[in-house]
Amino acid sequence: MASSNDLDIVNVTKRFGSHAAVEDVSFSVAPGEFFSILGPSGCGKTTLMRMIAGFEHPTSGDIRIRDRSMIGVPANRRPVNMVFQSLALFPMMSVGENVAYGMTCRGVGRAEADERAARMLERVGLNGFGHRQVTALSGGQRQRVAIARCLVLEPTLVLLDEPLGALDLKLREHMKIELKQLQGTFNTTFAYITHDQSEALVMSDRIAVMNGGRFEQIGSPRDLYHNPGTPFVASFVGETNRWRGAVSGAADRGLSVRLSSGVLAQGRGDAKTGDALCFVRPEAIALAAEAGALQILPNRFEGRVSAVLFDGANSSLLINAAGFDEPIRAVLPQAGPLAGITVGAPIHVGWTADAMKVFAA
Amino acid sequence: MTSARRLTLFLMMAPAILWLGLLIVLPHVEILILSFSERVAPRVYQFGFGNYLEFFTEPLYWRTFARTAIMSILVTAITLLLAFPIALYIARVARGRVKAMLLLLCLLPFWVSELVRTLGWMMLLRETGLISYLLRATGLATQPVELLYNDGAVILGLVYGGLLFMIVPLANALESLDPSVVEAGYDLGGSRATVLRRIVIPHAMPGIVAGSIIVFMLTVGNFATPVLLGGKNGLWFTEQIYAQFITRFNWPQGAAFGMLLLLLSSAIVWAGLRLTGQGLGTTLRQA
């Protein structure tokens, strides 16, 4: 079976003793794609990546790169290069030597390797940095050296293991965009692992959400955010309100759920009966000072502002509403009429049935 | 600084200053002065370079001197080659209890004195010893084999004595190498040899130099091992110093030899540092 994918993972399982770190995972990455694996720490994503790189060997299953099985191929013979979490630049070498290292390993002559390294450094915006020591570089520059060191080898696939983890927030935001642009210019396939959902959402073409050694869902960032397939995906990807309840019956266009705190709400989902988990995104919650403005919404509640979490465009309110154990979190548009609202003010909240995802608990 | 604090500092430094002054500086000044005094008549001495001239004119002296230097370098090199894989294993492969156990095993021989350790080697190597017996028992030799009193035996004993002092700084240096740096070395296409040559060894360089300096110093200045394992063929320079001081009772000559040995080891250590491009400061931190 010929495949046009750069990477095919086929039913890969990895066990350490009786513990399965990765369990029966399958996916494919198309050429030029930016594919992310998103999951909490300890979900097995690092093990999966190390198997692709060749540092761990799957207990069962197959890893195919451009349709060639990588089982039994050592790490230094795979057309895959990795950007490590710690970056793992060679401190005993200069920037230029770091980039030229891979080429000299492949038998490229010293002069040609140096020249290609210099050209690659120019492309990543480090023109003339070849003779610097890697310890003399800033975080962002080190990052670029680590990527240049991989890209210069023209690998089929670049693996990135949370490379932005060690950077400060501002630089991380900047590097997200830069990474995405680099991937676009070089048109290389990237497989990126992270526990930071924002990194995955911003950069990826497709994301696989991983939990407990298994894939929960694979989809585009939009798809995962708006149509989560499992409760885990709904709560892990993006901010969300989460309530427990029980399906009490069908409503006119969905499900009617009695939340554990007593109130009835309408949502959509596959759960037909029994215990349920309900998720509503903070930005899906409409706010109004008057009850009348929310008349058309099936879910309407009244409450008081318990906290204003000001964070510029990401500002939100915590609202204590009758019938809810925990405050409802709602995005507070800074351009709207409620921008100046203060703690204790009465407020009306509401959301559509589509906005509330109901999963069997 | 208040006078109280100054006094505290002085009291805390005093043992170190006394130690250095009385045991290192004072004897060396004494020896230096002694080495320049020539005996012109019984109990009459005068300043002169005669003791140093004697060293260069008598072939036995400078040949022993050169032989000590060359063999010490050889011993250091062999120790390094043997210790490197051991240190690599202790630092990078062994974990937890096994690692502590292995270091303890390296340390264990040092719980007995050097003399007893060397006598142990003599029991193994002598004509009527264990190895000779085993060679005969397995039919590899027809008559008793004397393995003592040759250069091989001296080198064996010296390497054995130096191994620990090489392993500890090496293991320290190798332990600080980030595992992902080694993995990156493989990931970018490096073979085992490339990773060792371009990543592991450069990283371990301060440890290699530190270990080599320690082993070289211990070897050059060793006395018991060459005497016991080398016998008459030992010809170590320390034996010459011993002979001048104790047997010949020619203290000025012995003092000159002592100064020459000090110069020799300093020169070789300096050359070693220059050759490997290491600073004395980083090296000392590693040791």
Side-chain angles (χ1 to χ4, degrees):
Chain A
M1 183 189 73
S3 149
S4 60
N5 292 318
D6 270 356
L7 174 69
D8 289 289
I9 301 289
V10 187
N11 304 111
V12 165
T13 296
K14 174 70 182 179
R15 288 177 194 286
F16 294 107
S18 62
H19 167 73
V22 175
E23 210 168 350
D24 198 26
V25 163
S26 297
F27 66 94
S28 297
V29 181
E33 194 174 19
F34 197 123
F35 186 87
S36 290
I37 299 168
L38 172 65
S41 40
C43 73
K45 58 188 192 301
T46 301
T47 308
L48 184 57
M49 183 129 303
R50 291 175 60 81
M51 283 194 283
I52 302 170
F55 298 125
E56 304 274 359
H57 304 287
T59 312
S60 66
D62 196 7
I63 294 169
R64 308 181 72 81
I65 294 172
R66 292 247 167 102
D67 221 29
R68 196 161 74 87
S69 175
M70 288 294 126
I71 304 299
V73 179
N76 52 5
R77 300 267 169 77
R78 296 191 183 195
V80 168
N81 294 119
M82 185 154 168
V83 177
F84 288 80
Q85 186 164 17
S86 61
L87 300 183
L89 298 181
F90 305 131
M92 62 293 287
M93 300 181 201
S94 71
V95 170
E97 285 171 329
N98 262 277
V99 179
Y101 171 85
M103 289 182 283
T104 50
C105 286
R106 291 178 182 193
V108 176
R110 192 75 227 189
E112 194 196 334
D114 284 344
E115 196 210 311
R116 277 167 63 184
R119 252 185 296 153
M120 176 53 67
L121 284 172
E122 200 181 322
R123 285 184 75 182
V124 297
L126 291 174
N127 200 3
F129 277 66
H131 295 291
R132 299 253 188 120
Q133 284 301 306
V134 289
T135 43
L137 298 184
S138 73
Q141 289 167 337
R142 293 161 63 89
Q143 191 87 50
R144 282 186 248 167
V145 174
I147 293 163
R149 190 172 74 169
C150 292
L151 288 176
V152 77
L153 299 173
E154 293 165 359
T156 307
L157 184 69
V158 177
L159 303 173
L160 300 102
D161 180 5
E162 308 203 30
L164 306 184
L167 303 180
D168 61 58
L169 185 69
K170 201 87 181 167
L171 190 57
R172 196 156 61 214
E173 293 300 319
H174 175 75
M175 286 308 294
K176 271 187 215 170
I177 301 163
E178 195 170 302
L179 259 182
K180 181 72 185 159
Q181 281 171 344
L182 269 176
Q183 194 252 345
T185 12
F186 286 87
N187 199 27
T188 306
T189 313
F190 274 33
Y192 189 96
I193 71 169
T194 181
H195 64 266
D196 183 318
Q197 42 112 354
S198 149
E199 282 175 23
L201 291 174
V202 169
M203 294 189 283
S204 315
D205 296 315
R206 278 194 308 149
I207 301 173
V209 180
M210 196 171 181
N211 185 32
R214 294 170 179 279
F215 274 9
E216 293 262 336
Q217 190 178 358
I218 305 179
S220 69
R222 242 171 240 266
D223 199 29
L224 289 180
Y225 190 80
H226 292 299
N227 302 305
T230 66
F232 179 81
V233 176
S235 56
F236 195 73
V237 180
E239 285 282 334
T240 187
N241 290 292
R242 178 174 175 276
W243 301 298
R244 292 192 162 277
V247 177
S248 62
D252 35 337
R253 283 185 305 137
L255 295 168
S256 178
V257 181
R258 182 164 298 280
L259 302 182
S260 56
S261 48
V263 299
L264 265 178
Q266 285 180 36
R268 300 234 189 277
D270 299 329
K272 290 289 169 260
T273 129
D275 289 344
L277 282 170
C278 306
F279 297 92
V280 180
R281 298 274 180 215
E283 72 271 20
I285 295 177
L287 301 171
E290 309 288 327
L294 305 174
Q295 211 54 237
I296 50 159
L297 298 173
N299 302 301
R300 294 185 299 277
F301 303 95
E302 197 181 343
R304 275 181 191 281
V305 175
S306 70
V308 180
L309 309 174
F310 183 79
D311 185 14
N314 301 322
S315 299
S316 55
L317 292 180
L318 293 182
I319 298 152
N320 278 332
F324 290 87
D325 305 334
E326 286 170 46
I328 300 169
R329 189 176 178 129
V331 166
L332 178 67
Q334 288 302 299
L338 293 169
I341 200 162
T342 52
V343 173
I347 193 162
H348 294 268
V349 297
W351 57 89
T352 63
D354 284 329
M356 189 164 94
K357 311 288 175 210
V358 182
F359 296 94
Chain B
M1 210 167 11
T2 66
S3 59
R5 283 185 62 186
R6 209 173 294 180
L7 184 68
T8 317
L9 187 71
F10 174 76
L11 286 176
M12 279 169 71
M13 296 287 286
I17 292 168
L18 281 175
W19 169 274
L20 285 173
L22 292 180
L23 291 169
I24 310 221
V25 180
L26 208 64
H28 274 91
V29 170
E30 178 77 32
I31 284 176
L32 187 66
I33 294 167
L34 201 59
S35 72
F36 284 111
S37 55
E38 279 178 64
R39 192 163 68 158
V40 285
R43 298 197 183 187
V44 181
Y45 294 89
Q46 70 176 46
F47 180 85
F49 297 96
N51 297 318
Y52 291 93
L53 277 175
E54 175 74 9
F55 168 80
F56 290 104
T57 47
E58 172 62 60
L60 175 70
Y61 295 152
W62 64 260
R63 280 195 185 150
T64 308
F65 187 76
R67 175 186 145 83
T68 304
I70 290 164
M71 288 226 340
S72 295
I73 293 171
L74 188 65
V75 164
T76 308
I78 295 172
T79 312
L80 177 61
L81 285 179
L82 283 177
F84 200 84
I86 302 171
L88 202 60
Y89 187 86
I90 290 175
R92 319 235 20 113
V93 184
R95 291 270 164 270
R97 288 179 61 127
V98 178
K99 179 179 271 184
M101 267 282 291
L102 287 173
L103 273 173
L104 190 70
L105 278 178
C106 291
L107 189 69
L108 216 55
F110 290 82
W111 288 5
V112 294
S113 84
E114 189 194 3
L115 205 61
V116 178
R117 263 182 288 137
T118 313
L119 287 170
W121 277 114
M122 292 181 78
M123 284 178 198
L124 290 178
L125 297 175
R126 67 183 170 171
E127 214 171 344
T128 52
L130 188 67
I131 294 173
S132 171
Y133 170 78
L134 284 175
L135 283 175
R136 268 178 300 151
T138 52
L140 287 165
T142 48
Q143 47 193 0
V145 187
E146 178 62 275
L147 294 163
L148 273 178
Y149 312 126
N150 57 48
D151 288 356
V154 174
I155 290 174
L156 184 71
L158 289 169
V159 167
Y160 174 70
L163 216 46
L164 175 79
F165 301 98
M166 188 66 94
I167 289 173
V168 171
L170 269 183
N172 270 338
L174 288 168
E175 206 151 51
S176 65
L177 179 58
D178 179 2
S180 61
V181 169
V182 176
E183 284 185 344
Y186 288 117
D187 183 72
L188 294 164
S191 60
R192 274 174 180 277
T194 314
V195 171
L196 189 69
R197 186 171 55 84
R198 295 198 55 191
I199 296 165
V200 178
I201 289 176
H203 179 88
M205 212 56 198
I208 291 173
V209 174
S212 298
I213 289 176
I214 298 170
V215 169
F216 179 79
M217 298 262 207
L218 287 174
T219 305
V220 159
N222 201 318
F223 180 70
T225 306
V227 168
L228 290 174
L229 297 181
K232 277 185 186 143
N233 302 320
L235 286 177
W236 214 249
F237 198 65
T238 47
E239 285 172 49
Q240 300 293 342
I241 300 176
Y242 178 86
Q244 293 300 336
F245 271 102
I246 309 296
T247 320
R248 312 267 296 267
F249 217 69
N250 189 352
W251 281 41
Q253 188 63 59
F257 286 178
M259 287 318 291
L260 284 166
L261 193 62
L262 179 67
L263 277 177
L264 170 76
S265 43
S266 306
I268 291 182
V269 166
W270 177 82
L273 284 171
R274 286 304 297 266
L275 219 65
T276 52
Q278 298 289 318
L280 192 60
T282 51
T283 304
L284 287 178
R285 265 199 296 283
Q286 197 57 246

